[in-house]
């Protein structure tokens, strides 16, 4: 082991001090406005230390990655799903695929409890849970020819736990995809600028794919420059289109957007991965990372203060207007992506393990991508907390709480303990060229307002607020769309793995009849819920939306259970705590949340309590908001019943998976031969590729060898 040089020690000491200073200011400052720059310092300092030391420990000591072992991309390369992909492009694809709505809107909603609880979970959670899950899942899937999470559970745990995992994972996957697609539809409906700019990323991606595959293989820098230049032009041109006679052609109704999303999801799922999916995700990453980096730079330059309290009263009483429930467990459920997200395990056992060149790259792609997403979540929390709390609650509280006028909203916010005048509410809407900002729930509009506030202080002044606001809305839609297309392909892999247990040809994920049929089923499933949700305010995916956070975290419990089981079965018992500790925490959080959502007597929290309230209203002939008529009342009763049953069912399935895995681990420890690994055979690698973004001296020497 090499001894660290004095220069290296000095650099990491400075990094540690910067991170410590950031944490100290966030945690200890009382009665004064804390600069948002300390959020950036705490996050970046912590990420740097974690990546340099903890991720390397996991890669070398726990997983024991082997650069001489061929990956599925090398062994099974078929140019469709299995394709050795340059680490820089794959990093972009993986990040774009995992970074969806969660890191953008989850922290914004959790800000009602103050900036400190959410920030601690985002940073500490990603270091010890989220990034670990992504990296370890990617490694074990890669060792099994890129098999899906559910299929790994079935093969490595057994038929009972495996069947429960397959059902839970696929059902949760469809719900997550439909929710993500709904956010895209809401962001793009009536927005010609956003629709045009995002549509243009598709032909640009085709160009990049063919450029790297046919015209100039391996010239990643060249294609990156071309792609970024065209992307920036598409963004600028989008505003021109919005102000031109072409605007009507790109102003699409929600239903039309659903149709186009379903078509795009199917095409992206069946085409060779190098042709559309990977280059488009790589292209999107430039905008995602570029915008977030620009936002962080804006924070450092403008030094806005954190106007939200470090911890609000809603953290204790659980009566927040944005969402009901106390800090534990619901801040950890609301902030999913950015700290720990089960959806990521599907990507880590879906597209990425079939494209990675070397085992040594799991550290950068698995752990590193998740740190990048976590920083997105930190910046979203920052953007929500630098605006006036009165405006924040006026935007995020439902209409039933604040009313439909600036006067009623001002009074309602005052009742919550915050202050904002009707004139300030009206002015805030005018500055971003919106008719009203009242009850713009969901988190995305609040993030856009916060981003416009930061950007306008650095670039263009208050006169540019409207531009930056609408840019942020378009940015959010692009951010989330990349998760929908990659998620559809992952869902296709998952369904093919499941069907392969019944009809063996489906096990070949590139078998065309299988990939077409599975892709159609997956897009049809989430497309149905999305279509109904767009046309019926209380139906379709709107019915299942309340399950999003819990379902996602239950999925993380399945992934961490599989990872812990495989660590034990592969002779790494002394390192099993690496995934077992976050598993124990996640199980405590999600099962507590599930219990409360199912059995709580609080009608704002419990599904069955809500069902009883509206059923009593029907018996009394009373219409209760948000219902507008008796039909809505019956729909809400149905929705609450379905949500309660599904929440209980998902929790039960996860308990079965964990119990069956525990049984298997005990059996293995007693007799290792009773539970053999289903790992692919060792094949020596012929590929030479760096482990990180920047090749080391040794890797450069290897690359020069013919």
């Amino acid at each position: 082991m090499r001894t660290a040089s004095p220069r290296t020690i000095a650099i990491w000491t400075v990094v540690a001090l910067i991170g410590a200073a950031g944490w100290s200011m966030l945690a200890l400052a009382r009665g004064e406005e804390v600069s948002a720059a300390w959020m950036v310092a705490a996050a970046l300092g912590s990420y740097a230390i974690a990546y340099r030391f903890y991720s390397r420990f996991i890669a070398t000591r726990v997983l024991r990655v082997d650069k001489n072992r061929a990956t599925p991309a090398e062994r099974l390369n078929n140019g469709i799903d299995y394709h050795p992909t340059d680490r820089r492009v794959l990093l972009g694809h993986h990040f774009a695929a995992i970074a969806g709505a969660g890191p953008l809107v989850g922290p914004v909603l959790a800000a009602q409890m103050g900036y400190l609880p959410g920030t601690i979970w985002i940073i500490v959670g990603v270091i010890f849970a989220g990034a670990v899950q992504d990296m370890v899942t990617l490694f074990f899937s890669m060792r099994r020819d890129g098999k899906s999470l559910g299929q790994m559970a079935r093969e490595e745990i057994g038929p009972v736990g495996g069947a429960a995992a397959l059902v839970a994972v696929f059902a949760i996957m469809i719900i997550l995809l439909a929710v993500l697609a709904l956010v895209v539809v809401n962001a793009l409906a009536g927005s010609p600028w956003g629709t045009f700019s995002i549509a243009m990323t598709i032909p640009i991606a085709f160009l990049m794919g063919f450029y790297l595959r046919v015209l100039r293989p391996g010239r990643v820098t060249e294609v990156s420059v071309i792609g970024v230049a065209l992307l920036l032009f598409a963004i600028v041109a989008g505003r021109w289109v919005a102000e031109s006679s072409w605007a009507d052609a790109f102003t699409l109704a929600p239903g039309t957007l659903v149709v186009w999303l379903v078509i795009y999801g199917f095409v992206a799922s069946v085409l060779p991965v190098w042709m559309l999916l990977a280059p488009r995700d790589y292209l999107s990453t430039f905008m995602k990372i570029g915008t977030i980096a620009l936002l962080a730079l804006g924070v450092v330059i403008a030094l806005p203060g954190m106007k939200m309290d470090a911890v609000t009263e809603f953290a204790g009483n659980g009566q927040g207007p944005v969402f009901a429930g106390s800090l534990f467990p619901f801040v950890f459920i609301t902030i999913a992506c950015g700290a720990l997200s089960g959806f990521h395990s599907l990507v880590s056992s879906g597209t990425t393990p079939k494209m990675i060149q070397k085992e040594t790259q799991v550290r950068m792609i698995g752990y590193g991508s998740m740190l990048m997403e976590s920083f997105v979540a930190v910046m979203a929390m920052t953007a929500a907390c630098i605006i006036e709390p009165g405006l924040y609650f006026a935007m995020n509280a439902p209409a039933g709480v604040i009313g439909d006028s600036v006067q009623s909203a001002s009074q309602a916010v005052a009742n919550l303990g915050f202050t904002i005048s009707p004139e300030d509410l009206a002015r805030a809407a005018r500055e971003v060229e919106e008719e009203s900002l009242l009850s713009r729930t969901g988190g995305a509009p609040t993030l856009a307002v916060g981003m416009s506030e930061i950007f306008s202080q650095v670039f263009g002044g208050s006169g540019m607020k409207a531009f930056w606001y609408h840019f942020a809305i378009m940015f959010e839609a692009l951010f989330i769309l990349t998760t929908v297309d990659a998620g559809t392909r992952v869902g296709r892999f998952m369904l093919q793995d499941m069907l392969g247990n019944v009809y063996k040809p489906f096990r070949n994920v590139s078998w065309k009849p299988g990939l077409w049929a599975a892709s159609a089923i997956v897009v049809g499933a989430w497309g149905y819920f999305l279509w109904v949700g767009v046309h019926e305010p209380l139906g379709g995916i709107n019915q299942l939306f309340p399950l999003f956070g819990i379902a996602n975290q239950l999925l993380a419990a399945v992934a961490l259970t599989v990872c812990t089981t495989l660590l034990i079965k592969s002779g790494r018992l002394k390192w099993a705590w690496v995934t077992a500790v976050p598993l124990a925490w996640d199980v405590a959080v999600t099962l507590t949340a599930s219990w409360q959502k199912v059995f709580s007597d609080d009608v704002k929290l419990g599904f069955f309590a809500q069902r009883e309230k509206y059923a009593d209203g029907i018996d009394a002939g009373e219409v209760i908001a948000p219902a507008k008529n008796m039909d809505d009342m019956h729909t809400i009763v149905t929705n609450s019943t379905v949500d309660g049953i599904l929440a209980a069912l998902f929790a039960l399935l996860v308990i079965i998976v964990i119990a069956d895995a525990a049984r298997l681990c005990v059996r293995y420890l007693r007799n290792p031969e009773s539970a053999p690994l289903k790992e692919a055979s060792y094949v020596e690698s012929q590929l030479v590729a760096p482990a990180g973004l920047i090749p080391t001296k040794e890797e450069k020497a290897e690359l020069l060898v013919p």
Side-chain angles (χ1 to χ4, degrees):
M1 183 179 292
R2 292 183 301 177
T3 303
S5 66
R7 177 173 175 271
T8 300
I9 294 173
I11 290 173
W12 287 106
T13 300
V14 171
V15 171
L17 289 174
I18 291 173
W23 280 115
S24 298
M25 292 301 298
L26 292 176
L28 301 178
R30 291 291 182 269
E32 58 186 79
E33 197 172 278
V34 179
S35 172
W38 293 115
M39 294 274 281
V40 176
L44 294 182
S46 301
Y47 297 152
I49 295 292
Y51 185 78
R52 172 62 176 79
F53 297 101
Y54 193 49
S55 71
R56 188 168 73 167
F57 159 74
I58 295 173
T60 58
R61 299 290 297 277
V62 179
L63 300 180
R64 299 194 290 272
V65 297
D66 184 357
K67 72 174 184 178
N68 297 316
R69 184 174 183 140
T71 65
E74 180 180 355
R75 291 187 291 103
L76 306 175
N77 182 10
N78 61 8
I80 300 176
D81 297 311
Y82 293 93
H83 177 65
T85 304
D86 185 282
R87 69 201 184 283
R88 293 162 290 187
V89 176
L90 187 57
L91 176 67
H93 158 73
H94 188 79
F95 170 73
I98 65 173
L104 294 177
V105 302
V108 174
L109 302 179
Q112 80 161 354
M113 295 186 176
Y115 65 79
L116 190 57
T119 300
I120 292 174
W121 171 235
I122 291 168
I123 298 175
V124 176
V126 73
I127 290 171
F128 295 106
V132 173
Q133 173 207 251
D134 294 12
M135 178 182 179
V136 178
T137 303
L138 173 58
F139 174 81
F140 281 126
S141 177
M142 182 182 61
R143 283 282 178 98
R144 286 155 182 78
D145 293 340
K147 282 188 170 65
S148 66
L149 176 66
Q151 188 63 22
M152 285 196 294
R154 184 182 184 278
E155 293 182 357
E156 297 287 357
I157 295 177
V160 176
L166 284 169
V167 172
V169 169
F170 188 73
I172 291 171
M173 177 76 167
I174 296 302
I175 293 174
L176 299 184
L177 286 174
V179 169
L180 294 170
L182 180 64
V183 178
V184 175
V185 170
N186 289 339
L188 292 184
S191 173
W193 181 10
T195 302
F196 174 83
S197 298
I198 289 175
M200 288 303 297
T201 62
I202 297 175
I204 295 172
F206 275 120
L207 172 63
M208 293 174 67
F210 281 99
Y211 192 96
L212 274 180
R213 177 82 172 186
V214 180
L215 300 178
R216 301 275 285 174
R219 305 288 183 171
V220 176
T221 303
E222 288 181 17
V223 79
S224 300
V225 172
I226 294 171
V228 171
L230 291 174
L231 176 63
L232 292 175
F233 177 76
I235 293 170
V236 174
R239 196 180 192 196
W240 298 340
V241 168
E243 297 171 352
S244 72
S245 58
W246 290 7
D248 290 343
F250 290 94
T251 304
L252 303 182
T256 306
L257 283 168
V258 171
V259 173
W260 281 114
L261 275 179
V262 168
I263 293 172
Y264 171 71
F266 178 82
V267 171
S269 178
V270 301
L271 286 180
V273 70
W274 60 265
M275 189 180 294
L276 175 60
L277 188 67
R280 189 184 176 283
D281 287 352
Y282 178 60
L283 177 66
S284 300
T285 296
F286 281 102
M287 182 178 176
K288 292 181 177 185
I289 294 298
T291 301
I292 294 301
L294 199 63
L295 189 62
L297 180 63
V299 168
V300 173
I301 294 174
L303 298 176
M306 304 291 285
K307 294 183 171 59
M308 186 70 74
D309 292 338
V311 182
T312 69
E313 63 177 297
F314 304 125
N317 62 29
Q319 298 299 311
V322 180
F323 63 91
S326 56
L327 189 151
F328 181 89
F330 288 102
V331 76
F332 308 102
I333 295 295
T334 305
I335 300 177
C337 303
L340 172 65
S341 171
F343 178 81
H344 297 184
S345 67
L346 304 183
V347 179
S348 291
S349 62
T351 54
T352 306
K354 299 177 180 66
M355 300 162 67
I356 193 167
Q357 293 174 315
K358 307 292 288 184
E359 283 196 356
T360 49
Q361 294 172 352
V362 299
R363 179 187 176 204
M364 176 187 72
I365 294 169
Y367 201 96
S369 291
M370 186 55 190
L371 292 183
M372 291 160 58
E373 189 193 24
S374 181
F375 189 60
V376 173
V378 168
M379 297 315 300
M381 177 69 76
T382 303
C385 293
I386 59 98
I387 65 176
E388 291 293 338
L391 178 58
Y392 169 87
F393 285 105
M395 292 185 67
N396 288 282
V401 173
I402 65 170
D404 56 3
S405 69
V406 291
Q407 289 78 17
S408 63
S410 176
Q411 182 58 51
V413 168
N415 294 337
L416 293 172
F418 302 95
T419 303
I420 189 166
S421 68
E423 293 75 22
D424 288 338
L425 286 172
R427 184 175 63 254
R430 287 196 304 271
E431 287 178 341
V432 296
E433 296 180 3
E434 289 279 9
E435 291 184 7
S436 173
L437 290 176
L438 302 183
S439 296
R440 296 294 300 275
T441 56
T446 304
L447 175 60
V449 168
M451 290 175 66
S452 70
E453 182 72 28
I454 294 170
F455 280 143
S456 64
Q457 290 184 37
V458 182
F459 309 104
S462 59
M464 287 289 288
K465 269 191 178 181
F467 170 85
W468 288 120
Y469 172 84
H470 290 283
F471 171 83
I473 292 292
M474 186 269 294
F475 160 76
E476 292 170 31
L478 175 63
F479 211 105
I480 299 163
L481 183 59
T482 54
T483 307
V484 175
D485 55 19
T488 299
R489 197 179 190 99
V490 171
R492 187 255 285 183
F493 291 149
M494 194 185 310
L495 183 57
Q496 285 184 268
D497 277 347
M498 292 172 62
L499 296 176
N501 295 317
V502 180
Y503 185 57
K504 290 185 178 180
F506 275 102
R507 293 181 180 176
N508 177 7
V509 293
S510 299
W511 179 53
K512 289 187 177 179
L515 72 89
W516 291 337
S519 297
I521 292 172
V522 172
V523 297
W526 65 254
Y528 165 78
F529 287 113
L530 179 62
W531 175 267
V532 176
V534 162
H535 291 86
E536 297 181 20
L538 296 176
I541 193 53
N542 297 307
Q543 178 188 51
L544 303 176
F545 194 92
L547 295 173
F548 179 83
I550 289 177
N552 191 33
Q553 297 302 70
L554 286 172
L555 189 55
V558 173
L560 289 168
T561 299
V562 172
C563 290
T564 304
T565 302
L566 289 175
L567 284 175
I568 293 172
K569 287 181 65 177
S570 58
R572 300 172 171 92
L573 176 62
K574 69 176 181 178
W575 304 124
W577 60 265
V578 170
T579 53
V581 170
L583 169 62
W585 171 257
D586 185 49
V587 169
V589 167
T590 50
L591 292 187
T592 300
S594 298
W595 180 271
Q596 292 185 19
K597 292 297 289 185
V598 174
F599 297 110
S600 174
D601 293 332
D602 185 347
V603 295
K604 294 182 179 179
L605 191 60
F607 290 130
F608 290 135
Q610 185 182 71
R611 178 193 184 282
E612 185 176 351
K613 173 185 176 181
Y614 283 85
D616 290 344
I618 292 173
D619 293 340
E622 179 186 2
V623 176
I624 306 170
K628 297 179 180 178
N629 50 52
M630 292 306 294
D631 287 340
D632 286 352
M633 293 285 289
H634 285 283
T635 300
I636 292 174
V637 169
T638 301
N639 290 354
S640 300
T641 305
V642 170
D643 287 343
I645 292 173
L646 286 178
L649 176 62
F650 288 155
L652 178 61
L653 289 172
V654 171
I655 291 172
I656 292 173
V657 174
I658 295 172
D660 204 28
R663 174 198 59 79
L664 179 74
C665 289
V666 171
R667 190 179 78 182
Y668 170 82
L669 293 175
R670 290 175 176 173
N671 180 16
E673 294 182 358
S674 66
L677 284 173
K678 307 293 185 181
E679 196 171 86
S681 301
Y682 177 93
V683 175
E684 188 170 353
S685 175
Q686 303 301 315
L687 285 178
V688 177
L693 283 178
I694 303 173
T696 63
K697 289 182 180 180
E698 294 81 3
E699 289 171 339
K700 288 179 180 178
E702 282 186 288
L703 290 168
L704 292 175
V705 176

